Amino acid sequence: SVVIFSEADRGSAYLELADEAICVGPAKSTDSYLKIDRVISAAEVGNVEAIHPGYGFLSENAHFNDVCRSCNIDFIGPSPEAMEMLGDKNLARDLAKSANVPVVPGSDGLVSEEADALKVAREIGFPVLIKASAGGGGKGMRVAANDLSLQSALQQARNEAEAAFGNADCFIEKYIERPRHVEVQVLADNHGNVVHLWERDCSTQRRHQKLIEESPAPNLPEETRNAMCDAAVRLIKAANYANAATVEFIVDQENNFYFIEVNARIQVEHPVTEMVTGIDLIQAQIRVAAGEQLWFQQSDVPQRGCAMECRINAENPARNFQPSAGRIDSMYVPGGPGVRFDSHAHAGYAVPPYYDSMIAKLIVHRSTREETIKCMARALAELRVEGISTTVPFHQQLLSDSTFSEGRMDTTYVERNLLGE
C-alpha cells in the first residue's frame, strides 16, 4: 500500500501502516490533496494499480476519475460518466423519476430567474427549499417561506454555490418540515449485480452536518424500509453504476420517503453498515474494482442488532463548536465487545487547522438499540483526548435526551431544542 500526505499530516498514525508514504505538498489542500497532477505523480512513483479516493477532496471528482483511467490506474469507485451524472442533483432527480423513485415535488429543471422561482413556489406551496445542483454539505441551500424571502434566498444560494462549486445552478423543491434523513448503502459490481446493505438513520445533525448515525433506522415501518431499499437498488441499476454508493432520502412525518441525492463514494459512516451486516465495504470496493463479482446475494445480507457512530470532532461545543486545533497531549481509547474506534490521531499528534475537524469515529454494536446507547455512553465516558476540545460532551448530552433515546429525531431537532439556533 502507498499513501499520500500533506506537510500538515506528517506524523499521522496511518503513515506508519503503509508500505510507502509520499508527500504531495504543503498544508493547503489546493496545493496538495486537490492537486491532481501531484496525486497522479505519487501514484506513478509508487507504481500503484489503483487509487482509493476515500470520502473527501477528489473522491467525487469525475475529472480526476477520468485522469486515473487515462493513466491506466483503476479508480476504486464508479465510472466517471456515472459519477458526473449522479453528481448533478438535477440530473440525478430526473433519473430517479425515470426509475420510479419518489422525489420531492419541485421544479422540472434548473431555475435562475426570480419570476420562474416564484411560479414554481406558488404551484407547490411555501415553504420551499432552494438547492444548488452541484451542492453538498448544506452549501447552496436556502429555505424561503414567502415571495419576499424567496427572491433574496435564490440569490444567496446562487452566490454560495458559485463560490463553493463554481456552478451557480439551482433548482427548487417543496421544503419538508422536520424530516428524517435516512440513507441506503448499495453495492454494485460490473456484472449487473446490485444489492443493498440496508439503511442508516442520519437525522441527528447540526446545520446539515451529521453528528450520530445508526442502523437500523428506529421507528421506521418495515414496509417503508423495504420500499426505500428497493428504490435505491432501482436507481443504481438505472445509472449503470458499479462500486459502493449511498442513496439518500428524507422521510416525512407520515413515513413517506423522497430521494434527495446519491453519494458516489464511500461514506464517513460506513462502519455502521459493516457492523450490522458483517461485510467489509472497503474490501468490497477493492474487489469490485478488480473486476470480481459480488460474492453474496440480497438474501445473504443480514441486519443484525444495532450499530451507532459518533463523529468525534476537534471542536468546542461550549463555544458554538469553535474549531480546536492543537496538540493532543494524551489519548485513551475505549474498548470492549462491540466497540470500534477509527482514527488517524494519537497522543502527540498535532490536529491541523486546515481540514475537516473530525479526528475520530466511535462506533458501537450491540443486540438492541437500548444496549447500543448504553454501550456508547460508557465508551464516550472512557474516551480521553487531552490538550484539545472535542464534541464528546455534546454527544453525551444527545444520548441522554429523551427524544433521541425514543428514536424520534429529525434533522432540525438539535438546532431547535438543544442549541436554540
Side-chain angles (χ1 to χ4, degrees), residues 3-22:
V3 297
I4 61 172
F5 65 97
S6 73
E7 289 292 352
D9 280 334
R10 194 179 290 277
S12 291
Y14 75 93
L15 303 181
E16 301 297 322
L17 300 174
D19 297 307
E20 189 174 355
I22 299 174

Side-chain angles (χ1 to χ4, degrees), residues 106-397:
S107 58
D108 289 330
L110 300 174
V111 173
S112 57
E113 301 298 329
E114 289 181 11
D116 295 333
L118 286 168
K119 181 181 178 183
V120 172
R122 287 167 181 167
E123 286 175 354
I124 63 177
F126 286 102
V128 297
L129 180 65
I130 303 159
K131 297 176 71 173
S133 183
K139 291 184 173 65
M141 290 174 59
R142 290 290 187 279
V143 177
N146 52 52
D147 288 8
L148 187 62
S149 63
L150 177 63
Q151 295 173 32
S152 60
L154 178 62
Q155 192 57 51
Q156 289 171 2
R158 286 177 57 80
N159 291 343
E160 188 172 74
E162 177 65 41
F165 313 112
N167 183 347
D169 291 343
C170 291
F171 61 98
I172 294 177
E173 289 181 344
K174 175 72 176 173
Y175 179 61
I176 307 297
E177 299 191 68
R178 301 188 180 184
R180 297 174 67 180
H181 183 163
V182 182
E183 60 190 28
V184 177
Q185 178 68 62
V186 181
L187 273 176
D189 63 23
N190 290 289
H191 306 274
N193 302 303
V194 184
V195 298
H196 69 76
L197 281 74
W198 303 103
E199 85 290 354
R200 299 183 290 256
D201 191 310
C202 307
S203 302
T204 307
Q205 305 178 4
R206 172 183 172 267
R207 296 182 180 177
H208 306 291
Q209 299 297 310
K210 299 168 186 174
L211 299 168
I212 297 178
E213 303 98 350
E214 60 181 297
S215 182
N219 300 321
L220 189 69
E222 201 64 24
E223 181 181 350
T224 305
R225 184 191 325 277
N226 290 330
M228 190 183 306
C229 290
D230 290 344
V233 169
R234 285 199 307 274
L235 180 60
I236 294 305
K237 283 183 177 178
N240 294 316
Y241 187 105
N243 219 268
T246 300
V247 184
E248 303 203 2
F249 300 92
I250 54 174
V251 182
D252 68 17
Q253 294 174 24
E254 286 74 45
N255 289 312
N256 300 304
F257 65 90
Y258 305 97
F259 166 75
I260 51 174
E261 66 177 329
V262 175
N263 289 122
R265 54 172 169 79
I266 199 70
Q267 295 280 96
V268 171
E269 58 271 23
H270 75 273
V272 170
T273 295
E274 293 182 336
M275 299 293 260
V276 295
T277 64
I279 295 171
D280 185 328
L281 286 171
I282 308 304
Q283 183 193 82
Q285 283 192 289
I286 295 170
R287 291 175 67 171
V288 166
E292 292 188 26
Q293 292 191 47
L294 292 178
W295 59 99
F296 53 87
Q297 298 178 338
Q298 188 64 68
S299 58
D300 300 322
V301 183
Q303 194 175 32
R304 299 176 301 213
C306 173
M308 188 174 292
E309 173 182 288
C310 287
R311 298 190 185 196
I312 310 301
N313 290 354
E315 298 172 351
N316 188 343
R319 293 190 174 184
N320 196 31
F321 294 84
Q322 176 183 343
S324 180
R327 187 178 185 274
I328 297 176
D329 295 329
S330 63
M331 189 168 173
Y332 177 80
V333 176
V339 178
R340 170 175 168 178
F341 188 76
D342 288 7
S343 179
H344 62 288
H346 54 85
Y349 175 68
V351 178
Y354 311 104
Y355 313 124
D356 186 275
S357 60
M358 188 176 69
I359 59 168
K361 300 181 292 187
L362 179 60
I363 310 104
V364 302
H365 178 232
R366 307 302 292 160
S367 59
T368 68
R369 187 171 188 269
E370 183 181 9
E371 290 177 5
T372 300
I373 291 174
K374 288 179 179 178
C375 183
M376 180 64 82
R378 187 267 300 171
L380 286 168
E382 291 182 1
L383 176 60
R384 294 282 188 275
V385 184
E386 304 291 343
I388 62 170
S389 297
T390 73
T391 49
V392 167
F394 191 68
H395 285 301
Q396 292 173 313
Q397 180 186 350

Side-chain angles (χ1 to χ4, degrees), residues 41-83:
S41 293
E44 290 177 339
V45 168
N47 195 31
V48 306
E49 295 176 84
I51 291 177
H52 192 295
Y55 45 66
F57 299 122
L58 296 170
S59 62
E60 289 184 282
N61 187 306
H63 174 60
F64 173 64
N65 189 338
D66 201 37
V67 171
C68 290
R69 184 165 59 177
S70 68
C71 294
N72 294 317
I73 298 171
D74 285 327
F75 180 92
I76 300 176
S79 68
E81 294 80 12
M83 177 175 282

